[in-house]
Each structure stands twice: as structure tokens, then as C-alpha cells.
Amino acid sequence: MHGMAQYPLKKIFLIDDDPIHQQIAVLMLQKAGVVEQVTGFQEAQTALDYIRTHATEPEALPEVILLDLNMPVMDGWAFLDAFEQMRDGLLASVRIFIYTSSINYHDRLRAHQYASVTGYLVKPLSKEDIERIASIAHS
């Protein structure tokens, strides 16, 4: 397309039950110009259902998911367990960054045991975090 800005990433999903945190992160990502589209989900199950439904449509899937750990109903760990199960069936490479207020060392260790987890970011999102997220587009 003519005159379109080149974003390194097409889609990011942000899964966080806190609407304020979510809004701030979405705005920061948009302002940084690293992604074309950010979609926020307040429930992990909704995001999971979407991914499952669109597993064979690469253009519908995000390159990156920012995942909160502490959420009601389905928490980040339950999401990761379910995601790992269907990861091989996805026609796109989806990387997950944990995005949490938890600075717990054990959470960090546990997160990195998941093959799909690329990084562990502590809220709020910093410029460096956004650069790390954007840089996976080139790796």
C-alpha cells in the first residue's frame, strides 16, 4: 500500500483483566509505532477461543501476546497450559511475553519453562520493553 507506515508487527494481543492497565499499554504500543493493531482481552478464555477458532488463519493471529498472570476465572498459567497444547496446530508463530506486576522470582522461572514464552515484563510497560517486543519481529 502506498504511504502506509511500515510497522514491524501486525498484531499484538494484550490479555489483562485490569482495563486501566490495558488501556495504558495499548496506547503506549500504538504511540511507539511498533504495531499496526493492538487488541485487548479482559478474559483469557475469550482470547484462547479466538486463537483456537483462527488457528489456521495466520493473518488473524497475533505475532505477540502480552499476558497478565493474575486474573480471575482463567489466570495466565491456565492460559499458557492451554496454549501450549494447541501451539503446534497454529499456522503462525506466536510469542508470549508475560506482562505482570509480579516480581516473584519463582513466577519468572516458571514462566520460562513454557516454550512459547519469550520474555517476562514487569508492569508498567517501559520503552525498553516495547523495543524488546518490536525486536522479535526481526528474529
Side-chain angles (χ1 to χ4, degrees), residues 5-53:
Q6 256 317 103
Y7 295 102
L9 297 169
K10 289 233 181 296
K11 272 191 177 65
I12 291 178
F13 284 1
L14 175 59
I15 306 171
D16 188 344
D17 63 307
D18 180 332
I20 306 292
H21 264 301
Q22 193 181 91
Q23 217 176 348
I24 292 167
V26 166
L27 283 170
M28 283 184 71
L29 288 161
Q30 287 169 338
K31 233 174 88 179
V34 297
V35 63
E36 243 166 81
Q37 188 191 354
V38 187
T39 306
F41 293 90
Q42 281 181 272
E43 293 195 359
Q45 187 64 59
T46 314
L48 204 58
D49 292 343
Y50 175 92
I51 292 165
R52 191 174 277 127
T53 307

Side-chain angles (χ1 to χ4, degrees), residues 27-104:
L27 283 170
M28 283 184 71
L29 288 161
Q30 287 169 338
K31 233 174 88 179
V34 297
V35 63
E36 243 166 81
Q37 188 191 354
V38 187
T39 306
F41 293 90
Q42 281 181 272
E43 293 195 359
Q45 187 64 59
T46 314
L48 204 58
D49 292 343
Y50 175 92
I51 292 165
R52 191 174 277 127
T53 307
H54 299 280
T56 57
E57 305 160 50
E59 66 289 341
L61 296 169
E63 289 113 309
V64 171
I65 295 173
L66 296 180
L67 177 66
D68 188 19
L69 289 177
N70 304 314
M71 294 180 284
V73 195
M74 175 186 263
D75 68 6
W77 303 117
F79 177 89
L80 283 169
D81 289 336
F83 183 83
E84 296 270 318
Q85 296 291 303
M86 60 184 190
R87 190 168 173 245
D88 291 343
L90 300 180
L91 290 187
S93 160
V94 179
R95 322 241 195 136
I96 296 177
F97 284 87
I98 302 299
Y99 177 56
T100 180
S101 39
S102 166
I103 52 172
N104 184 315

